[in-house]
Amino acid sequence: MTSNPDEPFPCPRCGSFGFEPGFVDDDRQGRIRWIAGKLERGPMGNARKLGLRKTSVIAYRCTTCSRLELYALQ
């Protein structure tokens, strides 16, 4: 990965450059979501999410190396 997050970088698994920027958010009900777009904070420090596309996320952990893989559900 490059030191500049705005530059394209390859997927560590497949080598493609097809990434869409976004961030992961906790919905306070024990679920996480991936949210499209750049993370912006409101006056109270919370993430601004109104009007942004939200997608549920599932996570898998490798039992050998402990690498986490997060997948946004379609």
Side-chain angles (χ1 to χ4, degrees), residues 1-10 17 19-22 37-39:
M1 187 177 299
T2 65
S3 59
N4 181 350
D6 295 326
E7 292 179 15
F9 57 90
F17 285 82
F19 287 95
E20 178 181 8
K38 184 178 178 181
L39 173 62

Side-chain angles (χ1 to χ4, degrees), residues 18-37:
F19 287 95
E20 178 181 8
F23 59 97
V24 176
D25 179 60
D26 177 355
D27 71 359
R28 296 187 182 144
Q29 295 177 354
R31 298 176 301 224
I32 59 171
R33 300 175 292 177
W34 179 84
I35 301 176

Side-chain angles (χ1 to χ4, degrees), residues 11-60:
C11 171
R13 174 155 283 151
C14 70
S16 72
F17 285 82
F19 287 95
E20 178 181 8
F23 59 97
V24 176
D25 179 60
D26 177 355
D27 71 359
R28 296 187 182 144
Q29 295 177 354
R31 298 176 301 224
I32 59 171
R33 300 175 292 177
W34 179 84
I35 301 176
K38 184 178 178 181
L39 173 62
E40 294 182 14
R41 300 218 175 255
M44 300 297 288
N46 297 328
R48 291 184 176 180
K49 301 172 278 195
L50 190 61
L52 298 177
R53 182 169 46 97
K54 299 163 185 74
T55 305
S56 294
V57 172
I58 58 173
Y60 293 93

